[in-house]
Amino acid sequence: MELSFSIGSIPAVLKRGHFLGGMKVVTEKEDVWLQHPLQPSTHFSLKIERNWQRTIEGHNVRIEKSRPALLAFARPHSYRVLVDGMLVAEARGF
């Protein structure tokens, strides 16, 4: 899944690999990992909602993810991206 948005005037993409579960924010200058595929917490979490907050290009970026309680691996997840407290993108997908 890929979700495009802007951090200020800089284009960014939230990328999540469905198979391995890795998730990162990609800009022209850097890649910021939110969930690395090699971390056990990426694969073994029972939380329904997860949040990540990072400072990217001088802006406060918050990623919110919620998953279904049952059969989460087979159903779409919801994603929200907030930059400096304002919603800039949201999507449902794997």
Side-chain angles (χ1 to χ4, degrees):
M1 186 202 78
E2 292 189 9
L3 177 60
S4 299
F5 61 98
S6 294
I7 302 173
S9 61
I10 299 165
V13 178
L14 174 66
K15 293 185 177 186
R16 181 177 185 275
H18 177 66
F19 186 69
L20 294 176
M23 185 164 55
K24 62 184 174 179
V25 176
V26 178
T27 65
E28 297 170 343
K29 296 181 182 178
E30 64 182 325
D31 294 355
V32 179
W33 282 99
L34 304 173
Q35 288 185 160
H36 196 280
L38 299 178
Q39 292 178 340
S41 63
T42 298
H43 308 286
F44 302 109
S45 176
L46 298 176
K47 294 181 180 180
I48 301 283
E49 295 183 2
R50 295 186 72 182
N51 302 303
W52 298 270
Q53 197 159 330
R54 303 286 190 273
T55 300
I56 302 173
E57 303 290 335
H59 294 274
N60 184 19
V61 178
R62 180 180 172 96
I63 310 294
E64 299 176 349
K65 175 183 135 180
S66 62
R67 66 172 183 84
L70 298 173
L71 300 173
F73 65 91
R75 297 172 57 200
H77 299 194
S78 296
Y79 299 88
R80 292 173 30 120
V81 180
L82 295 95
V83 176
D84 296 329
M86 298 189 64
L87 180 66
V88 294
E90 62 183 330
R92 284 182 54 85
F94 294 98

